[in-house]
Amino acid sequence: MTLPKSVKIVEVGPRDGLQNEKALVASPIKAELIERLAAAGCRHIEATSFVSPQKIPQLADAAEVMKKIRRAPGVVYSALTPNLKGFDAAIAAGADEVAVFAAASETFSRKNINCSIDESLERFEPVLAAARQAGVRTRAYVSCALGCPYEGEIAPAAVALVAKKLFDMGCYEISLGDTIGIGTPPATKKMIAAVAEKIPLENLAGHFHDTYGMAAANVWVALEMGMAIFDSSVGGLGGCPFALGAAGNLATEDLVWLLSGSGVETGLDLQRLVDCGNWISAALGREPASRVARALKKG
Ligand code: HMG
Ligand code: MG
């Protein structure tokens, strides 16, 4: 078995993590979280979302947060943008990169972004055109890649179809989202194999929520298949308000523990990450969901 020598980690805590918090988190705390993540070695940070404030009130301060961040050199600060309005606002606020987000489930697409899958792809066309013109790279998500909170099982072929369309439209990286964290290693393997028939593996990322505690196992399967980009969330923060009951992403601390323990480089400093996860969890009034953070606290 040959594992990748190094892995790119996309830290999604400030966006995917905080979007699910009911109590409003102050903008300076959000900016400090992003700064602490950069100080721990994160080079790709999804900082916020430029979405409808009615849908995600927590991230209504996106522009303010972007403005507040004291930027570290070499760090890409990205933002989620569902449409051209979001894209324009993200670029005006200084986002280095943007991400569009589609789904492999029609029902989830409607609930999350109020349109069908095909309509969402049409909406992304002008975003991609504007991004090309501005020299900004666009990432894409495919939600419900391993199951949908409304439709249940999702066929790997359906995931592959949407992923391929997004890739052909010009998205350079396609993040496969197990939105509700329901996937198991065999299902993950099948889904990645179906997508990898259409898109090179090096353009694929794994985005595993950890609802059922399977995220690390799913990362392992993906790693064995040669995938080398993973999304994670410090402290295991997060979820999606349109996927009730879904837990946060795999904790970045746990991902780094898994990878460094397997001889795979991440460029991240585990202790600083743990400190960051403990700090934001305390600010939110809870223990970190990261098992590694809890173990190191006791030890
Ligand atoms: P809509 O209601 O169909 O859009 O929403 P609309 O164009 O009719 O606009 C409605 C209102 O929203 C208008 O305001 C617009 O101006 C405003 P009004 O005139 O009523 O005052 N609006 C905006 N405001 C700010 N920024 C914008 C924007 N666009 C419209 N960009 C829309 C469609 C997509 C905008 C909406 O449904 C939305 O914002 N959805 C976002 C939902 C979301 O953020 N979900 C969580 C992120 S996805 C996720 O977590 C999954 C992921 O992690 C992967 C995984 O785990 O699977 C990525
Ligand atoms: Mg997510």
Side-chain angles (χ1 to χ4, degrees), residues 12 15-16 19 46 49-56 59 80-87 89 100-102 108-115 123 141-145 175-180 207-209 231 239-242 249:
V12 297
R15 192 279 302 171
D16 199 331
Q19 76 181 11
E46 200 169 73
S49 289
F50 288 85
V51 294
S52 155
Q54 276 95 17
K55 286 271 195 171
I56 310 278
L59 301 184
L80 227 56
T81 56
N83 51 22
L84 199 52
K85 184 179 171 116
F87 175 81
V100 293
F101 47 111
F108 185 80
S109 182
R110 288 236 165 257
K111 301 265 186 197
N112 195 38
I113 50 174
N114 199 26
C115 62
R123 264 186 210 169
Y141 288 94
V142 181
S143 284
C144 303
S175 180
L176 303 167
D178 184 6
T179 318
I180 51 174
H207 178 104
F208 301 111
H209 284 262
D231 303 350
C240 174
F242 304 98
N249 284 88

